[in-house]
Amino acid sequence: LGLDFAGELSRLHDRIAGLRKKYGSQAIQALVEERNAARKAKNFSRADEIRKQLLAAGFAIEDTPQGTILKPS
């Protein structure tokens, strides 16, 4: 099929690194933690606001049974 998985993984890694540098790893992590707390408290409107903030910053969120996964959007 000619897929370059290593190249794609490298591009995703670089994109995440660039986004974290631009927005700050600590700020992003704080938003993820705040969103998790909002979800736990069933404050879904706040959790959705944070999801939108992260999406605007270039991150998509996937909630899994193992926890929240942050991906470049």
Side-chain angles (χ1 to χ4, degrees):
L1 295 171
L3 298 175
D4 179 14
F5 291 113
E8 184 63 22
L9 185 61
S10 177
R11 284 187 288 282
L12 285 173
H13 182 270
D14 291 347
R15 178 142 187 247
I16 290 171
L19 290 169
R20 287 180 187 229
K21 184 177 180 181
K22 180 176 180 180
Y23 294 102
S25 291
Q26 291 177 343
I28 292 166
Q29 186 61 37
L31 282 173
V32 170
E33 290 172 9
E34 182 182 348
R35 182 178 173 274
N36 288 340
R39 290 181 72 234
K40 186 175 182 179
K42 299 187 189 270
N43 185 349
F44 299 113
S45 62
R46 179 63 184 140
D48 288 343
E49 289 174 17
I50 296 169
R51 178 187 290 271
K52 289 176 187 174
Q53 284 180 289
L54 289 166
L55 189 59
F59 293 97
I61 288 184
E62 181 180 338
D63 296 311
T64 71
Q66 293 78 29
T68 301
I69 298 174
L70 204 59
K71 299 178 178 181
S73 60

